[in-house]
Amino acid sequence: SAGFMKFCPRPPKSCFTTMIAKALPSTGIHSGICGGMLSASRRPVTTALKSLMVFFLCIRRLYSHSKKTAEMIAEAGDFDLCEIAPKVPYTKADLNWMDKKSRSSVEMADKSIRPEIADSNVDVSAYDEIILGFPIWWYVAPTIVNTFLEKYDLSGKKIVLFATSGGSGFGNTVSELQPSAPNAQIVEGKLLNRMSKQEISEWVKSL
């Protein structure tokens, strides 16, 4: 679908990062912003909640279709939906892969950089298995994914990865993310590129 744009090795035009936690059959979709104010929701979060989807939009105002794709995944799996908000929003210039001094280029050149995210109101401890998605940047996950993983105690959780890419695979993604969640099991999942709503639904059901 249009929500999944090609990327290899530069950031896609519709770049976003998504985290999903497996749902209980009875849960519905809750929508909010993990780092910042909560947006409209279908019901309040409860301590029994087992489903969560968190996504990151590089430039939210321009790429709402990426949010729609994330919403399709959440709907297919009956996952709650939240958004990761970077403390400093990305601009189009930040994503200029041809400029070696652009924000994304600098972040990916130095893997020790951790782009800040806004304060989160998500209680990750309430979730079990997590499905974590992102666009492939420079053949690996964006370092903001490391920021998110390091923000929480994910001990004992299984984290299944999925990504969008214009051609490259996961590369060293697992090995670069594992130190950010040392006590979690991170496994390579699937590349999801231009998938239809039906294909997304079938993939979610296979989890």
Side-chain angles (χ1 to χ4, degrees), residues 103-114:
R103 178 179 173 185
S104 59
S105 295
V106 171
E107 289 174 355
M108 299 307 293
D110 182 353
K111 298 302 178 60
S112 68
I113 291 177
R114 294 293 182 264

Side-chain angles (χ1 to χ4, degrees), residues 93-97 99-107:
D94 289 337
L95 304 179
N96 183 1
W97 67 277
D99 180 2
K100 295 186 182 298
K101 294 183 179 181
S102 72
R103 178 179 173 185
S104 59
S105 295
V106 171
E107 289 174 355

Side-chain angles (χ1 to χ4, degrees), residues 4 132-136 161-165 169-170 189-193:
F4 290 97
L132 175 63
F134 44 82
I136 297 295
L161 307 180
F162 76 90
T164 58
S165 170
F170 282 95
K190 184 180 180 64
L191 289 176
L192 304 180
N193 293 315

Side-chain angles (χ1 to χ4, degrees), residues 66-141:
S66 291
K67 182 178 179 180
K68 291 179 181 177
T69 300
E71 288 173 342
M72 282 196 295
I73 298 173
E75 181 179 0
D78 206 11
F79 305 129
D80 285 321
L81 185 64
C82 286
E83 179 182 350
I84 294 174
K87 192 169 184 179
V88 179
Y90 285 85
T91 66
K92 291 183 70 174
D94 289 337
L95 304 179
N96 183 1
W97 67 277
M98 294 183 291
D99 180 2
K100 295 186 182 298
K101 294 183 179 181
S102 72
R103 178 179 173 185
S104 59
S105 295
V106 171
E107 289 174 355
M108 299 307 293
D110 182 353
K111 298 302 178 60
S112 68
I113 291 177
R114 294 293 182 264
E116 290 187 81
I117 59 177
D119 291 337
S120 173
N121 56 17
V122 173
D123 180 12
V124 175
S125 66
Y127 305 94
D128 299 315
E129 186 172 30
I130 295 170
I131 313 301
L132 175 63
F134 44 82
I136 297 295
W137 283 17
W138 284 263
Y139 308 102
V140 292

Side-chain angles (χ1 to χ4, degrees), residues 147-163:
T147 305
F148 188 82
L149 292 175
E150 292 168 8
K151 189 176 179 68
Y152 301 99
D153 180 5
L154 301 174
S155 299
K157 300 184 187 299
K158 181 179 180 181
I159 303 173
V160 181
L161 307 180
F162 76 90

Side-chain angles (χ1 to χ4, degrees), residues 19-68:
M19 185 191 79
I20 312 170
K22 262 195 170 179
L24 289 175
S26 61
T27 59
I29 297 177
H30 167 275
S31 178
I33 297 179
C34 300
M37 62 182 295
L38 200 66
S39 64
S41 62
R42 299 185 185 177
R43 58 164 174 71
V45 176
T46 67
T47 55
L49 192 66
K50 292 291 184 180
S51 57
L52 179 70
M53 179 173 187
V54 180
F55 66 96
F56 164 67
L57 293 176
C58 288
I59 308 177
R60 188 180 184 194
R61 70 182 185 280
L62 296 180
Y63 304 121
S64 60
H65 52 291
S66 291
K67 182 178 179 180
K68 291 179 181 177

